[in-house]
Each structure stands twice: as structure tokens, then as C-alpha cells.
Amino acid sequence: MTKPFHVFDLDGTVIDSFKRIAPCLKDNGDLDLAKYRAEACTHDKIQTDTLLPLYQQMRQLINTGSDVAICTARLMNKSDYFFLRKIGLKRVRFIASRDRLARYFGQQAPTICRLGDAEYKKQWLDLLQGLFRDRPFVVYDDHGGVLDMAARLGCRTVDAKQYNALARKYFSFGYGMGRDPLLYSDFLDAIGQA
């Protein structure tokens, strides 16, 4: 069987950046992009992001030689890449982010950059499926619209919100991976990973 190609979102999936994003939200919940770029994207603030439980799954896949990509809506800067290296995510196969659009999409990049999350990530998934033909894809994301879109493209999906919530529940009891194989097996069943 062909090994799957794993595609992970960052924010809300493997990285918790909400504390620096929250002050930049408008009353209606939309992101004030100017405020976000000016106040939340400094090097020091990016380095305060923390890791979510799904990060461990991502690292395990990388360490066992699986093909892992990142597909994020971030406009990544040097501080974002520094943070990825700092947390051990330097051996991912591909990074799909807004700062890399021009390299892969040329003149279409500005149009794609303005798309909503699901449509934006669809462009990247279409490209990745073209580059890595005949590979099953697994998409890990916290956005329901992205998960629905990925499923329509034939990808297996993992709801990061569900995964992280269940992982917190199981591991809060002290059952780390490998410490209780039966409980961990139940955890994998619950998130559809068994």
C-alpha cells in the first residue's frame, strides 16, 4: 500500500497562537489584519506560541520517515520559520503558505492570497496532489470548511479540534502514548486513526 502524504495546518491544529491573535479580533470576530500584522507578528510574540497535542503526532510521522507538509494561511516571515525550526519541524517535505504563493502560482498569487481559507487551501491541495500523484492524502485542520473541501478532493481528514480535545482528555489522566496501549488504542479509535 502506498504511504499517505500528511498535510497539517498550523494555527489551532498543531500550534496554539490564540493568545496573540485574540487582541486583534474585532467585535464581530473578524481579524483586524493591520493590527494583527503590526502587533501580533513580532518575533518575540511568535516565540510565545505553544504546542497542541496533535504536534506530537506530526513529529512522530516526521521521525518515522512519513511525508509531511504544512499548509497554512499564515503569511510566514523569518520569525515563523525560526519557530518551526525551534520546535523541530524543519524536515517537512513542503510548506504551503501565503509568502510562497508567487513561487508556485505566478500571476495568480494575488488572487489566491485573497481567497477564504477553504478555497485558498484547495489551491495548495490541488498543487500537492499534482506533485505527489497516486498518493493518498490525510489533511489535519481545525476549520470545518477546509475539512469538507479536503474530503471532496478525496482526502482523509482529521478534525484537529476533536483530536486535541480528546488527546487532552486522555493524556490528562496520565496515559501518555505507549504507557497504556489499550487506552491509546481506544483514543485512536475515537479520532478515526486506528
Side-chain angles (χ1 to χ4, degrees), residues 39-90:
E39 298 176 17
C41 293
T42 66
H43 180 79
D44 290 340
K45 287 192 178 175
I46 290 169
Q47 304 317 304
T48 66
D49 287 352
T50 57
L51 303 175
L52 294 167
L54 192 50
Y55 162 80
Q56 295 299 330
Q57 175 72 15
M58 185 181 189
R59 279 294 305 270
Q60 183 178 3
L61 287 165
I62 292 169
N63 291 341
T64 58
S66 295
D67 285 326
V68 174
I70 291 170
C71 186
T72 179
R74 283 188 190 195
L75 177 64
M76 304 263 293
N77 63 38
K78 289 180 182 180
S79 297
D80 293 299
Y81 289 107
F82 177 84
F83 182 78
L84 291 183
R85 286 191 306 277
K86 181 175 89 172
I87 64 171
L89 296 181
K90 58 184 173 189

Side-chain angles (χ1 to χ4, degrees), residues 181-194:
L182 184 59
L183 184 65
Y184 187 63
S185 175
D186 289 345
F187 167 67
L188 292 177
D189 285 341
I191 61 164
Q193 289 286 301

